[in-house]
Amino acid sequence: MIAFAVRKSLLLLALFLTASALLFVASRLALGDGVLLAQKAPDPERAAEIEAALGLHQPWPVQYVSYLSNFLSGQWGASLLNQRSVADEVKNRLPATLELSLSALVIGLLIGVGTTLLAEAAPWRWARRLPEALGALGLTVPIFWLGLVFIILGAAWLGWFPVSGRFDFILERPTGTGFLVIDSLAAGDWEALGSALHHLALPAFCLSFFPAAVVSGLLRARMREPRWQRLIIALRAKGLSPTSIWLRHGLRLLGAPLIIALGTSFGLLLGGSVLTETVFAWPGMGRYLVGAVLDRDVFIIQYALLLVMFLIFVVVWLAEMLAVALNPRLAQMEGDGSAR
Amino acid sequence: MRVNWLLAGVAAIAAVGLVWTPYDPLAQDFRELRLAGFGAAHWLGVDGLGRDVLSRLWRGLGNTAGLSLLALGLNFVVAAAMLTVEETTGRIGRTFVPLVASVWLGLPVIFLSLILLVFLPPGGATLVLAVALGNASISYRQLRISWREQIRAPYVEASETMGASGWGFFRRTLWPNLAPDVVALARLIFALCALELSGLAFLGLIGDPDFPELGAMLRQNQAYLTNAPWLLLLPGSLLSGLLLVVHLSGHRVAQD
């Protein structure tokens, strides 16, 4: 098991280093041979000064190492366009993205488990097609269009939800962690909590279709295995009702693969949140990154995008470790050389 | 082989949109009342800049489907190349290619695209490259599973013993057994490519904001959300309809 943990950690570390190297090369290619500097500062002396300040005169390997060490020490520099510190922007925006993604994860988990349980245990015929419909939805309906439809229905026509943003601007914004739901709960400000949840509802529901499809697809595939079918027959023979079979035995036994799948889909969720944030004008990392890419603001991309990928890898790593702790047989199965 | 007429029909309609539309999708008609809705001259009305919506939708369908098909082709070329390297370079290939693929799989397509767009110009070609590469590890894994399953089957061994080799062997013996898996995979990758491509276009990464592509149209029409919601509902329904036809075509094959 320790060997498994070490191997997984090394693989993810290699993954992170590769991703950071890719990002570094891409951003240096974007800078070009001082073309950008030549445009901004026609005076060659001033250009050389800026180049030295940014460390661009050093050879690439040296720059890469200092890039990594800067990233780890939190010195992320500032935007090329407006000189705003990347670290400050990230501090404001990352909680917004995480609040959205984690709410979507929770809602998606509930929808995914709920539809699968309905399909397996409910007596209605239509319920059996639900997980399939959910999977088809994921492959046919673009998530950003779903968001727009939600806005048209829920905000423009019915007027039940706000169109965009994260918080009502007339209310006083609770401070602290940056997670508005947690902050307003901690402050005991019910009006603020209501506003935060009200703004969160549509985007989180929209984004929750990703994890819901992943969860229900995984659960359904596992339940189709002959081993499960035999277990169910044994439990039915014991006299248990379908509901208690799924709630007491099914979910507990399916926990480990579910955790891995959720960890892996976290990246998908962050990717989807880039689209959802754009639709709902949610002030998060996704919009920041897309704006930076369109502006070619290399330093924002270099550090903020690496941070997002770092988070993805950390979550995948945590999920793998947790799953192995829950079910140590996973480590052996991996050792046999079978693919995940 | 049975032809799926629905899919063929949709493909033909999309192809027509690429070469002919009732109006020029970029031409502005200033005599029409903008955002007035459906009418006789312009069946689906004109958009906020006075361009014929039907023409833009039609060309957009063609562009989205065409670019996704290009991405699908490129994606299969890359995946097949990865598989070939793995199968022919011995130990090194067998160790490194799966490792590279697992690293690749860890990067969500949208972030890979953002990395590419850092140094490539925003545009259709860049998006095609991004979604093709982003999904390459998925199709590599799936192709590898199908390939390994077939290459170890007894009938392959029997054919080889009887002296079959080269292209004829692949075409007559292996391909008929590989084809169903490859077609199912192509359907999946096409859907992923179309969704991601239009998503990136929606983010404004396709460059030209007037380019008639369904995602880019959604971006441009977002401003008319309250007074002309059909400008948003139509492109999305069209894309979903296309993908639904592609998705359901798989079910029919599976049932046959």
Side-chain angles (χ1 to χ4, degrees), chain B residues 210-235:
Chain B
D210 294 316
F211 186 70
E213 196 274 346
L214 296 174
M217 284 177 69
L218 281 172
R219 176 186 177 82
Q220 222 175 22
N221 293 339
Q222 217 180 344
Y224 311 115
L225 190 124
T226 45
N227 42 6
W230 64 89
L231 288 181
L232 288 174
L233 294 175
L234 286 173

Side-chain angles (χ1 to χ4, degrees), chain B residues 22-24 27-36 41-42 45-52:
Chain B
Y23 292 85
D24 180 354
Q28 292 171 297
D29 188 347
F30 293 108
R31 293 163 305 173
E32 281 292 325
L33 193 59
R34 285 178 292 147
L35 304 176
H42 298 275
V46 293
D47 69 1
L49 295 171
R51 298 168 304 192
D52 183 50

Side-chain angles (χ1 to χ4, degrees), chain A:
Chain A
M1 187 164 155
I2 291 171
F4 171 82
V6 170
R7 205 168 54 228
K8 273 283 160 207
S9 311
L10 282 179
L11 184 66
L12 280 170
L13 188 67
L15 228 155
F16 175 70
L17 287 178
T18 318
S20 63
L22 268 177
L23 196 51
F24 174 76
V25 171
S27 56
R28 284 304 171 273
L29 284 175
L31 278 176
D33 299 326
V35 176
L36 193 112
L37 283 177
Q39 285 167 351
K40 299 275 176 200
D43 179 12
E45 266 179 40
R46 178 71 188 126
E49 256 175 53
I50 298 174
E51 220 165 65
L54 296 174
L56 296 177
H57 59 290
Q58 287 163 328
W60 278 19
V62 179
Q63 281 188 44
Y64 175 65
V65 172
S66 62
Y67 165 50
L68 277 188
S69 66
N70 281 345
F71 174 72
L72 292 176
S73 61
Q75 292 169 335
W76 299 341
S79 152
L80 280 177
L81 292 184
N82 53 22
Q83 302 301 321
R84 256 186 237 150
S85 152
V86 175
D88 285 350
E89 287 276 337
V90 166
K91 214 191 299 169
N92 285 331
R93 287 166 177 272
L94 191 61
T97 296
L98 289 181
E99 192 170 62
L100 176 63
S101 312
L102 293 178
S103 324
L105 194 68
V106 172
I107 299 173
L109 190 63
L110 291 178
I111 295 180
V113 172
T115 47
T116 316
L117 288 183
L118 261 183
E120 293 292 330
W124 310 295
R125 208 159 172 197
W126 56 264
R128 264 175 247 161
R129 306 299 292 269
L130 269 179
E132 207 179 312
L134 205 60
L137 195 75
L139 278 181
T140 51
V141 180
I143 182 169
F144 53 97
W145 183 64
L146 200 65
L148 289 170
V149 172
F150 282 171
I151 291 182
I152 291 176
L153 287 179
W157 288 357
L158 295 173
W160 292 350
F161 296 98
V163 176
S164 64
R166 216 186 146 201
F167 199 68
D168 214 335
F169 61 90
I170 1 176
L171 295 176
E172 197 181 338
R173 206 183 165 100
T175 51
T177 55
F179 290 84
L180 286 180
V181 174
I182 296 176
D183 287 345
S184 46
L185 265 181
D189 187 347
W190 302 115
E191 210 180 351
L193 180 68
S195 170
L197 288 178
H198 199 199
H199 281 81
L200 189 60
L202 277 188
F205 184 59
C206 170
L207 189 56
S208 75
F209 280 91
F210 267 135
V214 168
V215 167
S216 85
L218 178 106
L219 287 180
R220 211 162 62 107
R222 290 276 162 155
M223 284 170 177
R224 289 271 166 93
E225 284 176 13
R227 266 196 308 163
W228 287 105
Q229 299 295 343
R230 261 177 269 146
L231 177 69
I232 292 165
I233 292 171
L235 290 174
R236 286 298 290 273
K238 203 178 138 195
L240 293 181
S241 73
T243 323
S244 73
I245 289 178
W246 291 116
L247 288 182
R248 281 176 45 199
H249 296 269
L251 286 185
R252 203 175 50 188
L253 288 167
L254 291 168
L258 202 59
I259 287 173
I260 293 190
L262 284 180
T264 323
S265 69
F266 184 69
L268 205 67
L269 204 59
L270 283 186
S273 79
V274 174
L275 290 166
T276 320
E277 280 173 13
T278 308
V279 174
F280 290 95
W282 190 262
M285 290 294 284
R287 281 176 76 209
Y288 186 48
L289 284 173
V290 172
V293 166
L294 285 174
D295 292 340
R296 294 270 154 117
D297 205 333
V298 170
F299 293 97
I300 296 182
I301 303 164
Q302 196 176 324
Y303 290 109
L305 191 53
L306 188 62
L307 179 73
V308 171
M309 293 198 287
F310 181 73
L311 280 180
I312 293 174
F313 295 144
V314 168
V315 170
V316 170
W317 182 79
L318 280 178
E320 298 259 7
M321 293 301 131
L322 196 60
V324 167
L326 273 180
N327 184 1
R329 270 179 303 175
L330 281 177
Q332 281 176 341
M333 272 150 65
E334 194 95 349
D336 296 341
S338 59
R340 260 200 297 163

Side-chain angles (χ1 to χ4, degrees), chain B residues 5-17:
Chain B
W5 289 110
L6 184 62
L7 189 62
V10 170
I13 291 172
V16 168

